[in-house]
Amino acid sequence: MMKLNANQLNFSGGPGALPESVLQQLQTAMLCVPEVGLSILGISHRSQWFAQVVHELEDNIRQLMGLPDTTRVLMMQGGATQQFSMLPMNLLRDGQSADYIHSGYWSGKAIHEAEKSGKLNLAWSGKADQFSRLPSDAELQLSKDAAYFHYISNETVEGLQFHRVPGRDDVPRICDMSSDLLSAPGEFNRYAMIYAHAQKNIGPAGVTLVILRDDFMQTLPKDLPGFINYHAQADAHSIYNTPPVFAIYSVLLVTRWLLHDIGGLHNIAKHNELKAACLYQVLDDYADFYRGRAAIADRSNMNVVFNLPNAEIEQAFLQAAQQAGFSGLNGHRSIGGIRASIYNGLEIAAADQLADFMQTFYKRYKISTPQTSGLSTAYA
């Protein structure tokens, strides 16, 4: 089996692994961007070079997603968390209400922030099912008069992912795609707005992509303070204030990798599906031991979330995994368990290696049952 380094065995939920070739380019840029002669950390955001970086990145996003030139592409700060607040501040005016799906931890955060700005209609909640599944279209309670409809395409904590586009086409559809944007093709033209922080599939923390359909952009208010005003941000081409130059340049390199090395979103989707399939196969083959959280139809291709028979065995698994070179497998602090995040930058070989480790761990556990003491060293 091919020897993988620590970066290549990083299954962290975010920031996630970046492609090895991108890391190598960033290593060079830290000392000197070839076409500039300066470190990326010292290049002015007002330079002509950086303006070209922003322009190319905007074009690359449109090309990858199949969007028209009129689509606004912004590189903002504050992560998805700022968008949780900024979005309703711009749209929930004059007593209007918005429809939200509550499908897990992060959509709950979005709802909590939006409620501070206006009225919400809970179109569906998975709380009663402990966020183990997503709704069918028939379960959604949607309003044709909503100011907008909001959902999260992939819940990283619970390992749930929408594999269709929910919502009404006659109501502005807004989606937080922080953890699966650019991981597969999609019907992106059906969205009025998409936002995604970078630190899963598309770059390091510090930059958030906000993609706005032009006709929707024209409906947004212009009288808000500049930092939370989409018009002001768009007019400044993402340089309203000092932007995170390093993070934006990193995202540019990732889009170049997707376009030229991978060959577009159809190809990266095949990679991601293979990674997910090999891990879910282990969950299905050893379902008495590896207990997946998500309903099969709603399983995420980005985050494989599961539990083991008890907390002691989970700790043994994590310790043995760390000794074997894997990192980032701890489940989210809100639910515990195990989570393998398999974002774009993670290679297929890494998922295969984790699947092999999981099978070996299971077989050794069965041999040692019912003895559970010393598990943390037994599987190293």
Side-chain angles (χ1 to χ4, degrees):
M1 183 179 293
M2 179 176 64
K3 178 67 174 176
L4 300 178
N5 63 41
N7 282 326
Q8 294 169 319
L9 293 174
N10 178 10
F11 289 83
S12 171
L18 289 175
E20 194 77 8
S21 62
V22 169
L23 291 175
Q24 291 169 355
Q25 292 175 77
L26 290 174
Q27 182 182 37
T28 298
M30 290 285 283
L31 292 176
C32 178
V33 176
E35 60 266 38
V36 180
L38 296 172
S39 165
I40 184 65
L41 299 179
I43 296 177
S44 171
H45 63 289
R46 298 295 180 186
S47 66
Q48 183 60 36
W49 174 83
F50 185 65
Q52 292 172 348
V53 164
V54 170
H55 179 74
E56 181 186 347
L57 179 50
E58 290 175 355
D59 285 347
N60 286 358
I61 294 295
R62 295 187 192 102
Q63 183 178 346
L64 284 164
M65 297 176 68
L67 296 171
D69 293 342
T70 53
T71 304
R72 308 296 186 96
V73 180
L74 312 181
M75 276 69 75
M76 298 184 64
Q77 300 173 55
T81 300
Q82 177 170 311
Q83 296 305 313
F84 292 167
S85 302
M86 185 172 171
L87 173 63
M89 290 173 72
N90 275 264
L91 288 172
L92 285 185
R93 293 187 160 202
D94 303 321
Q96 288 183 295
S97 178
D99 289 349
Y100 274 70
I101 289 179
H102 187 194
S103 52
Y105 180 87
W106 288 111
S107 53
K109 294 280 191 181
I111 289 167
H112 176 71
E113 293 301 322
E115 286 175 330
K116 298 174 183 178
S117 295
K119 296 187 297 183
L120 302 188
N121 167 52
L122 198 59
W124 182 83
S125 174
K127 186 175 181 179
D129 294 314
Q130 297 182 313
F131 302 112
S132 62
R133 69 178 184 91
L134 295 174
S136 66
D137 288 339
E139 291 177 289
L140 294 175
Q141 301 296 313
L142 300 172
S143 170
K144 64 181 178 61
D145 299 318
Y148 62 91
F149 161 67
H150 180 279
Y151 76 104
I152 290 181
S153 56
N154 183 74
E155 291 279 8
T156 61
V157 174
E158 294 83 7
L160 294 166
Q161 186 177 28
F162 279 94
H163 300 292
R164 70 184 197 283
V165 179
R168 303 172 59 104
D169 287 330
D170 57 352
V171 170
R173 181 185 286 107
I174 298 174
C175 188
D176 175 357
M177 295 188 183
S178 289
S179 52
D180 61 358
L181 184 67
L182 304 189
S183 69
E187 300 177 80
F188 301 117
N189 61 338
R190 295 180 64 187
Y191 294 88
M193 174 178 160
I194 293 167
Y195 63 93
H197 58 231
Q199 65 263 25
K200 308 293 186 181
N201 284 299
I202 56 179
V207 59
T208 301
L209 285 177
V210 178
I211 300 161
L212 295 144
R213 204 171 61 211
D214 189 63
D215 61 332
F216 177 69
M217 180 79 174
Q218 301 312 315
T219 68
L220 300 177
K222 298 182 179 181
D223 59 349
L224 288 170
F227 201 72
I228 57 171
N229 186 320
Y230 290 110
H231 289 280
Q233 295 284 347
D235 291 345
H237 282 276
S238 304
I239 313 178
Y240 180 80
N241 66 323
T242 304
V245 173
F246 176 81
I248 290 173
Y249 180 64
S250 302
V251 175
L252 172 64
L253 295 181
V254 171
T255 62
R256 288 176 179 174
W257 173 76
L258 284 168
L259 283 167
H260 307 306
D261 296 358
I262 299 298
L265 299 190
H266 282 90
N267 286 342
I268 197 64
K270 293 176 183 177
H271 291 197
N272 290 330
E273 288 164 4
L274 286 171
K275 290 182 290 187
C278 79
L279 294 178
Y280 284 123
Q281 189 64 57
V282 177
L283 266 60
D284 292 339
D285 289 346
Y286 307 104
D288 61 327
F289 188 71
Y290 294 116
R291 301 168 183 179
R293 282 188 53 90
I296 292 176
D298 302 321
R299 283 173 167 174
S300 169
N301 284 334
M302 297 285 96
N303 311 95
V304 179
V305 181
F306 57 94
N307 289 93
L308 279 75
N310 58 53
E312 182 184 2
I313 300 174
E314 287 180 352
Q315 285 304 117
F317 178 92
L318 290 169
Q319 186 171 342
Q322 185 175 19
Q323 292 170 354
F326 301 100
S327 64
L329 288 168
N330 298 68
H332 190 268
R333 61 187 180 277
S334 64
I335 63 172
I338 314 295
R339 174 174 58 172
S341 296
I342 47 178
Y343 302 127
N344 283 354
L346 191 90
E347 297 180 18
I348 295 172
D352 288 340
Q353 191 165 319
L354 178 59
D356 288 343
F357 169 82
M358 291 170 66
Q359 292 177 69
T360 300
F361 185 90
Y362 169 82
K363 291 170 184 176
R364 290 179 180 173
Y365 165 80
K366 284 298 185 183
I367 291 172
S368 66
T369 303
Q371 299 297 323
T372 57
S373 60
L375 283 173
S376 60
T377 57
Y379 305 109

